[in-house]
Amino acid sequence: MKNLSIFLISCFITFNIVCQKTESFVGKLTYSINIADTSLSKYFPEKRMEIYTNDSLLRIENHTEEFGKQILIKHMVLNKSYLLLSLDLGNFAIQTNHQTQNSDSSLYVISKKIGKKKICGLKAKKIHVEHPSLETETEFFYLPRYSPKYLNTFLEFPGLPVIYYLNSEYGLLKYELIEIQEEVPNYDLFGIPSDFKKLSFDEFVQEMIKVE
């Protein structure tokens, strides 16, 4: 139950964007997810994270060992979202209003460094990042032309991270943008399926307690 709560809270991280000129993005972003320690890669096969957006709506599809496929649907203007989970107990759409933000995302310390790299044909800039969950200062890359809001993860980053790292119970994970498609996604992707039960996070926790 503790792992589930941590996972759900991490999906609800939001961020504020510093004043900067960035372009809107409409389309699909695909990230690869690999264990950072390459000596362990045979035990942790590569996964994918897919992000769809029309700039006001966001859909993030992710996969975990413990809970399978999760989908986050977010209305970025209203700042409301649902986390879709398909469990043995049924299909759930867990609502959050983002009024209570996860303060962990504000603990990132960022310093810009000289350096660039081409990611998916676009020029990404280097940045050094410190965070309590990272053992050492870590090198990220980001696209300054796009807002970080499409990742729904980082506070006050100067652009969209395209190579970044997150700690997990399995170790440090490396996320890297491997495909970018600029086309309008099907609007149906941002809806809540009729067979999913809508409920608050507290109501979902109570549902889980009943079956323990």
Side-chain angles (χ1 to χ4, degrees), residues 48-135:
R48 299 288 173 92
M49 177 175 70
E50 297 175 334
I51 301 171
Y52 302 85
T53 181
N54 62 8
D55 196 48
S56 62
L57 296 169
L58 185 69
R59 176 189 175 102
I60 301 178
E61 297 185 4
N62 223 323
H63 302 263
T64 68
E65 296 293 339
E66 190 170 359
F67 304 110
K69 183 177 181 179
Q70 287 83 43
I71 299 172
L72 181 71
I73 306 292
K74 180 179 178 182
H75 195 301
M76 290 186 284
V77 177
L78 299 179
N79 209 21
K80 294 182 179 180
S81 67
Y82 283 94
L83 180 65
L84 308 186
L85 294 178
S86 293
L87 306 175
D88 292 340
L89 298 173
N91 298 324
F92 300 95
I94 306 161
Q95 185 179 21
T96 176
N97 61 15
H98 293 285
Q99 293 303 310
T100 303
Q101 297 187 0
N102 191 315
S103 60
D104 181 67
S105 61
S106 67
L107 299 178
Y108 287 98
V109 178
I110 303 167
S111 56
K112 294 183 181 180
K113 299 293 181 181
I114 297 175
K116 295 181 180 180
K117 177 183 286 193
K118 274 206 168 183
I119 304 292
C120 294
L122 301 174
K123 289 182 180 179
K125 292 185 177 181
K126 183 189 295 185
I127 197 169
H128 281 193
V129 177
E130 294 179 68
H131 189 271
S133 67
L134 302 173
E135 292 184 1

Side-chain angles (χ1 to χ4, degrees), residues 157-176:
F157 267 54
L160 176 72
V162 289
I163 295 180
Y164 66 96
Y165 297 83
L166 290 176
N167 211 357
S168 76
E169 59 184 304
Y170 306 107
L172 192 64
L173 299 178
K174 179 184 178 181
Y175 291 71
E176 181 171 355

